[in-house]
Amino acid sequence: AVVVLESPIADSLMQSIASENNLSETAFVAINDNPISIRWFTPSTEVDLCGHATLASAFVFFNYLDKSHDQIVFSSKRGQLIADRTEKGIKLTLPKDNPEPFAEIDLFSNMLGCKPLEVYRGIDDFMVLVESENDVKDMKPDFSEISKLDSRGLIVTADGLDVDFVSRWFGPQTGVDEDPVTGSAHTLLAPYWGKKLGKNTMSAKQLSKRGGFLICEVKDEAVEITGQAKLYLRGSIHL
């Protein structure tokens, strides 16, 4: 969800609106700030970065607020985020997250119901490598155990059958058991798989029930993630 703000509102009100929306993320875009500022709230807390709510916000900007521009720069808690309108969709330039090996692999076996091959830690999330795409697809995670992790969420990933890699993202500790598509998780996934596969540009699928397809390109200090958006609902919030 994208809420366009013409004037500031209280943090508590943003949190209440996000809770009422009950979606993975609600983005609040202050269009009169220069540069335009963006914040993201799950139903239960504020997070520092959300890729797909940023993509949705750029979609709203390009199609409903300023059709004359093909680029928007958002100001966020993670610095400036750039969104470009391209022929393939909306391309986000997000800060790169470098995975660091995490030694306690066995900690994740009970959470995921399968044996992890490797575990890494990023700025926001843990990332677990498993054997196959089917392991990712068929996984029945223990959300009560995942909620105990000291992180925003948990990514599981594997080689893809018809894309370079697949993933799912779980975040019960931030009010979202499973996110349909998580752009920000790919700032960690893309550097990992880029190094593993020897590629800078990769295709990816997120295997949630709804699913999503992304194109990721790894740069020196950033990850460019391209995806698409469609308008589902437009309306007013009555306070």
Side-chain angles (χ1 to χ4, degrees):
V2 179
V3 178
V4 178
L5 300 176
E6 294 180 350
S7 58
I9 63 174
D11 289 9
S12 59
L13 182 53
M14 286 190 274
Q15 185 62 74
S16 293
I17 292 170
S19 178
E20 192 70 21
N21 286 340
N22 199 32
L23 298 169
S24 296
E25 307 282 351
T26 296
F28 293 87
V29 180
I31 57 172
N32 290 323
D33 289 353
N34 187 20
I36 293 172
S37 64
I38 186 169
R39 293 171 69 180
W40 311 272
F41 288 77
T42 76
S44 62
T45 192
E46 183 176 10
V47 295
D48 289 343
L49 182 65
C50 178
H52 271 64
T54 305
L55 184 146
S57 299
F59 173 85
V60 169
F61 180 82
F62 293 143
N63 289 280
Y64 300 100
L65 298 179
D66 190 342
K67 296 181 180 180
S68 66
H69 281 76
D70 290 324
Q71 184 181 87
I72 179 173
V73 179
F74 293 108
S75 172
S76 79
K77 290 187 175 181
R78 286 286 170 82
Q80 290 195 338
L81 310 176
I82 301 171
D84 293 284
R85 178 160 44 185
T86 72
E87 292 182 358
K88 294 181 179 180
I90 294 173
K91 180 181 72 177
L92 301 180
T93 302
L94 303 179
K96 185 178 178 181
D97 192 356
N98 293 304
E100 296 290 338
F102 188 77
E104 298 177 46
I105 292 179
D106 292 340
L107 175 67
F108 296 86
S109 297
N110 291 335
M111 294 180 192
L112 302 177
C114 67
K115 185 172 178 57
L117 301 180
E118 301 169 14
V119 178
Y120 295 86
R121 179 74 196 250
I123 296 170
D124 294 310
D125 302 322
F126 284 100
M127 184 181 75
V128 176
L129 177 70
V130 296
E131 183 69 34
S132 70
E133 178 172 320
N134 284 334
D135 286 338
V136 176
K137 183 179 178 182
D138 298 335
M139 187 170 290
K140 294 179 173 59
D142 186 333
F143 293 123
S144 64
E145 288 298 314
I146 293 174
S147 69
K148 299 174 185 176
L149 289 173
D150 179 23
S151 66
R152 182 189 68 167
L154 173 62
I155 308 162
V156 293
T157 187
D159 281 299
L161 297 174
D162 57 358
V163 292
D164 289 304
F165 63 89
V166 298
S167 68
R168 289 171 71 185
W169 185 92
F170 310 116
Q173 58 269 57
T174 47
V176 183
D177 281 352
E178 180 167 4
D179 191 26
V181 198
T182 316
S184 57
H186 288 74
T187 64
L188 184 63
L189 285 159
Y192 170 81
W193 283 107
K195 186 175 181 180
K196 193 175 183 71
L197 300 175
K199 293 183 174 184
N200 289 327
T201 302
M202 292 155 286
S203 58
K205 277 185 182 178
Q206 193 153 330
L207 300 179
S208 64
K209 184 177 180 180
R210 194 182 79 185
F213 176 79
L214 310 89
I215 300 170
C216 304
E217 186 171 357
V218 180
K219 302 291 189 178
D220 288 341
E221 299 296 331
V223 175
E224 294 180 351
I225 301 171
T226 301
Q228 296 184 343
K230 291 184 179 181
L231 180 69
Y232 165 67
L233 184 69
R234 187 179 183 187
S236 301
I237 296 172
H238 296 271
L239 303 177

